[in-house]
Amino acid sequence: MMLPTHVLGGMVLALPLLVVAPEFATVGLVAGFLGGLVPDLDMYVGHRKTLHYPVYYSVLATGGVLVGLAVPSVLTVAVALFLLGAAVHCVADVFGGGLELRPWEGTSDRAVYDHVRGRWIAPRRTIRYDGSGEDLLLTGVLAVPLLATLEGSLRLVVLGTVLVAAVYTLSRRHLAALAPVVVQVLPSTVRPYVPKRYRTDDHVQ
């Protein structure tokens, strides 16, 4: 799934705070956004392995939520929503496509790395690939309750995220075609650090 879907998913997880603990809602929404974002910072360094921990994040998120419920504070709520956003991100990626350059071809058997079992989890392809039409639809569905309840800068963040998602979806297949061309004009000293999926049709990192 694309990053906009993940970050909006993280924010949606914090929406109940608007009712049960409105004083923590803003920090929860920001923490959920960041939790949905951080795993994808490994995009160019062992993507879906270096910062993706579907099991560990889930365990930590469970503990974080329990602590947040028992001892609510800005810190505990922020940590809980961050971990929850990251956990949902990593688990959700299992239901997307694989790691190949053109994931709509369905040739990769790698969705997310399971550090506990020491193996890759195969993609389920419920969402065929990041930037697919159904991925954009999911982004829109997640945005609806956020846009209906949020105001000010957070609402603008949601609108901007939806716009990014729409542009990415429209350009997704073109980007896949463009990537190998761009890599060829990179300096030879830089090219070895580019993930293999951008240098060849091989999805292996």
Side-chain angles (χ1 to χ4, degrees):
M1 297 179 195
M2 58 183 164
L3 187 55
T5 307
H6 289 307
V7 297
L8 292 186
M11 294 182 77
V12 167
L13 294 171
L15 281 180
L17 291 172
L18 291 169
V19 177
V20 299
E23 66 274 23
F24 299 128
T26 298
V27 69
L29 287 159
V30 173
F33 181 97
L34 293 175
L37 181 151
V38 164
D40 271 352
L41 294 181
D42 68 7
M43 187 72 70
Y44 297 101
V45 186
H47 187 37
R48 296 193 191 167
K49 182 177 181 180
T50 306
L51 294 178
H52 282 62
Y53 299 93
V55 178
Y56 292 142
Y57 274 139
S58 297
V59 171
L60 290 173
T62 301
V65 169
L66 292 175
V67 171
L69 290 171
V71 190
S73 69
V74 169
L75 178 60
T76 59
V77 169
V79 170
L81 265 299
F82 176 87
L83 292 172
L84 197 56
V88 170
H89 176 140
C90 296
V91 173
D93 272 342
V94 175
F95 296 92
L99 280 172
E100 64 268 53
L101 179 61
R102 295 181 290 275
W104 45 88
E105 295 178 352
T107 58
S108 172
D109 61 356
R110 296 181 173 188
V112 181
Y113 192 76
D114 181 350
H115 292 266
V116 173
R117 296 175 180 82
R119 62 177 177 81
W120 286 90
I121 302 171
R124 305 290 175 83
R125 297 189 174 89
T126 304
I127 301 293
R128 291 172 299 156
Y129 58 90
D130 62 298
S132 64
E134 60 270 27
D135 196 2
L136 180 61
L137 176 61
L138 179 56
T139 299
V141 169
L142 292 170
V144 168
L146 293 167
L147 293 173
T149 54
L150 301 182
E151 298 177 349
S153 58
L154 286 175
R155 196 168 196 272
L156 291 176
V157 167
V158 175
L159 287 169
T161 301
V162 172
L163 178 60
V164 169
V167 171
Y168 182 73
T169 298
L170 290 172
S171 59
R172 178 64 177 92
R173 294 194 177 224
H174 300 293
L175 291 173
L178 183 62
V181 177
V182 172
V183 169
Q184 291 304 311
V185 300
L186 290 175
S188 57
T189 54
V190 173
R191 208 173 300 158
Y193 299 98
V194 176
K196 273 192 173 183
R197 66 182 179 277
Y198 297 124
R199 289 185 277 133
T200 70
D201 289 336
D202 190 346
H203 66 268
V204 178
Q205 300 299 293

